[in-house]
Amino acid sequence: MPQCPVCDDQYDAGNSLRSHARDAHTGCSYCGETFEQTDALYRHWLAVHPEKLDSRAEQEATDAVGELSFEERRRHGGLGNALSGGVNRRTVLGGLAALGVGGFGAAAATGAFDGAEPQPLSEHPAGKAIDSQPILGDGLDETAATIVAFEDPSCTSCARFEQQVLPSLREKHIATGNVSFVYRGIPIIYPWGQEATRVLEAVYAASPEAFEPVKSAYYDQQRRFDKQTVWSESSALINELDIGLNGKDIVNTAQTDEAVERAVQTDLSASRSAGVGSTPTFFLFRNGEYQSKIVGPQRLSVFESALNL
Amino acid sequence: MTLRQYLPPIPTTIADVKTVARVCRLVLSAPRYALVAIISFPFSMMLFVVPRNFTLVVDTVLSGSLPLLSRLALLFGLFPTLNGAAYTLITGVLLYLTAAIVSINVALLAYHVREYGVQLQTGASGTLGTLLGALGAGCASCGSALLAGVLSLLGISGSLTLLPLDGAEFLLVALVIALLSIYWVADALRGGMVRGCPIR
């Protein structure tokens, strides 16, 4: 608790103590020095303790004795205080804030941030075995931009991307031949995603055209699935979609085919090499060169800006 | 001597809440501190949304060849919106609410530093609230490897199935910490005056 350096009285707060020392002792609450006149105390405050004064005290002292000249600050507070006079907390805080913002801007402007290393899609970890993945669009060699998406059919964020972002992306950029969209399934979210990812691989192997409707149906009906029912419900789902596939056969392939397991492991391996930590994660390529990555189902404008579409 | 002496205070009465409201009202009614809060708000939001896409921001906003307007559009495009898919409605609302509380907290801290200097306790709690806010924003994206890792370390299988809000629970914790932090700053101002008005 602040204590008066003259009479040892205690106060709850610094400004109460400062008022007490001024009124009772014409003294300085910071160092205990006493004065004949209040104006001398004010000059002492401004010359010796400018950094300790709050705005009210500073105003009070300045109103009484005016701004101190360099000579006055030197006379009352010594050369050191005279040289640093006027540097109060506000100045320091403002300076630090300006330094932070300015430093950040300067670093950005001078290229202190190097940005993405240019790396061809074929050599990028996200591009591993990319030719065997489901692709929306005209093909990797035909479009200016490529998006490689790592998703999990059980992921609710991926479902929001599928329902709220992908339709616009398809309409504006995939259908018009600007973008190719590659799907890579990695089961890392809810447990039933492991079986669903295998089913999707089996569907793609049996009929590439059937892949999109099954994937969309998983996202649309996520609440339908859990670890216990995922096989039977997946079989029923495929039959309901009327895509020319037999649900039971697809599920059987998903359960037993080693090629399906290898395909899932290839995607998981690619995701680990590429540093995917969550789904959905999108790797962006422009003219075959890596640009950056987007995490989460960000809005279309973010994809458009990042790929300069 | 009890353990409670070493723990930060928590508000327990209506009077405590009124004190916090009074301090906030008094400090924010000063234009300079209101300005601090307003300027802090977008930066607080960035603290929450940028870590999730730090690579993207470095590659495209801080470097690369995009025009300035595109860079700004991309940066602010990461913020939650009503029709956006990046965050659920509840997560988006919690993010804005937490950022607002953190911004008020920054204004109160600025006032406290200006008038009384820095106290580690309030500074640390404000930092903790900010960190938890960032964690909540990142975690709210489905499939946070960090969250899954932490939960698996704790031996919890099924991970995210245990979090009905898909990780927004961390934002709720962040919000509580940020609110507590405001209380701690307000509590530190007790016995003094804010803009000539006593705080009891």
Side-chain angles (χ1 to χ4, degrees):
Chain A
M1 190 172 282
Q3 193 173 29
C4 174
V6 182
C7 67
D8 294 342
D9 274 5
Q10 292 189 327
Y11 287 83
D12 290 334
N15 48 5
S16 307
L17 170 61
R18 191 175 56 233
S19 300
H20 156 79
R22 179 197 61 204
D23 298 340
H25 312 294
T26 325
C28 174
S29 60
Y30 306 117
C31 64
E33 189 172 348
T34 56
F35 301 87
E36 294 286 326
Q37 296 179 329
T38 310
D39 282 359
L41 169 65
Y42 287 146
R43 288 194 188 89
H44 169 82
W45 279 1
L46 293 169
V48 184
H49 307 294
E51 81 287 355
K52 290 179 178 170
L53 297 177
D54 62 25
S55 52
R56 288 182 67 211
E58 188 179 346
Q59 192 65 47
E60 177 186 334
T62 310
D63 286 348
V65 299
E67 296 275 351
L68 295 193
S69 65
F70 180 83
E71 177 55 26
E72 283 176 311
R73 286 204 301 274
R74 189 197 62 75
R75 185 154 24 100
H76 290 283
L79 184 61
N81 281 312
L83 288 171
S84 63
V87 181
N88 54 21
R89 282 198 186 100
R90 179 174 48 193
T91 313
V92 172
L93 285 173
L96 284 174
L99 198 64
V101 174
F104 195 68
T110 56
F113 295 101
D114 289 337
E117 283 290 317
Q119 191 174 12
L121 174 59
S122 55
E123 295 174 16
H124 193 280
K128 182 181 176 185
I130 200 161
D131 292 333
S132 57
Q133 307 301 323
I135 297 177
L136 283 175
D138 292 351
L140 303 178
D141 297 330
E142 306 298 323
T143 56
T146 299
I147 299 172
V148 180
F150 286 87
E151 299 184 27
D152 180 332
S154 70
C155 163
T156 52
S157 289
C158 301
R160 291 203 301 278
F161 175 80
E162 176 81 16
Q163 292 153 359
Q164 298 177 43
V165 184
L166 189 59
S168 317
L169 186 67
R170 287 183 78 149
E171 184 185 335
K172 287 183 69 178
H173 300 294
I174 296 174
T176 54
N178 291 328
V179 172
S180 292
F181 186 88
V182 182
Y183 181 96
R184 308 197 73 149
I186 51 168
I188 63 170
I189 307 299
Y190 291 97
W192 66 266
Q194 294 176 358
E195 287 78 6
T197 302
R198 293 176 71 100
V199 169
L200 283 173
E201 292 288 358
V203 167
Y204 181 67
S207 167
E209 296 76 30
F211 178 83
E212 277 299 316
V214 178
K215 180 193 71 167
S216 294
Y218 269 127
Y219 285 135
D220 290 342
Q221 302 178 44
Q222 281 180 333
R223 290 179 182 278
R224 176 176 176 177
F225 302 95
D226 59 36
K227 188 71 174 172
Q228 280 71 45
T229 62
V230 60
W231 289 126
S232 58
E233 288 299 322
S234 295
S235 175
L237 178 78
I238 289 166
N239 291 334
E240 288 163 17
L241 287 173
D242 194 20
I243 47 177
L245 295 177
N246 181 293
K248 195 175 177 184
D249 291 344
I250 292 295
V251 165
N252 187 44
T253 304
Q255 288 173 322
T256 58
D257 194 338
E258 286 185 6
V260 167
E261 176 61 20
R262 278 198 302 276
V264 174
Q265 289 307 321
T266 298
D267 286 340
L268 277 170
S269 168
S271 76
R272 282 192 287 266
S273 303
V276 174
S278 62
T279 53
T281 296
F282 307 92
F283 290 83
L284 313 178
F285 297 84
R286 177 94 194 168
N287 298 325
E289 295 280 340
Y290 172 68
Q291 303 295 308
S292 191
K293 71 172 179 181
I294 292 175
V295 179
Q298 305 298 337
R299 69 186 73 165
L300 181 63
S301 65
V302 173
F303 286 86
E304 290 174 328
S305 296
L307 279 167
N308 203 14
L309 292 173
Chain B
M1 192 174 292
T2 62
L3 179 65
R4 188 167 173 75
Q5 285 178 285
Y6 296 98
L7 296 173
I10 53 170
T12 50
T13 63
I14 297 291
D16 289 337
V17 177
K18 284 183 176 172
T19 299
V20 172
R22 180 177 167 79
V23 169
C24 290
R25 183 170 56 79
L26 287 170
V27 171
L28 294 177
S29 61
R32 72 172 67 165
Y33 294 108
L35 192 64
V36 168
I38 290 168
I39 292 173
S40 299
F41 183 72
F43 286 98
S44 302
M45 282 302 295
M46 281 181 214
L47 272 180
F48 295 156
V49 300
V50 166
R52 189 183 185 192
N53 272 293
F54 187 71
T55 304
L56 176 70
V57 170
V58 169
D59 290 344
T60 56
V61 178
L62 300 178
S63 63
S65 56
L66 291 178
L68 180 63
L69 279 179
S70 298
R71 291 173 197 238
L72 290 175
L74 203 153
L75 184 60
F76 287 101
L78 298 174
F79 282 30
T81 54
L82 268 180
N83 59 352
Y87 300 93
T88 59
L89 182 63
I90 187 166
T91 308
V93 168
L94 281 174
L95 267 174
Y96 278 116
L97 203 55
T98 308
I101 300 292
V102 167
S103 305
I104 294 172
N105 202 9
V106 168
L108 293 192
L109 282 169
Y111 178 84
H112 193 275
V113 169
R114 174 94 173 86
E115 300 293 324
Y116 299 98
V118 178
Q119 286 186 355
L120 185 62
Q121 185 187 35
T122 50
S125 61
T127 308
L128 182 61
T130 305
L131 283 176
L132 281 169
L135 179 63
C139 175
S141 93
C142 173
S144 160
L146 177 64
L147 178 62
V150 169
L151 289 173
S152 66
L153 276 178
L154 295 174
I156 301 169
S157 60
S159 59
L160 291 167
T161 50
L162 297 172
L163 298 174
L165 301 180
D166 278 341
E169 289 84 351
F170 283 80
L171 268 177
L172 284 171
V173 174
L175 188 60
V176 170
I177 296 282
L179 285 168
L180 277 175
S181 184
I182 283 188
Y183 173 70
W184 292 330
V185 181
D187 193 51
L189 291 167
R190 272 187 214 264
M193 313 242 277
V194 175
R195 305 190 74 219
C197 302
I199 303 298
R200 298 188 178 87

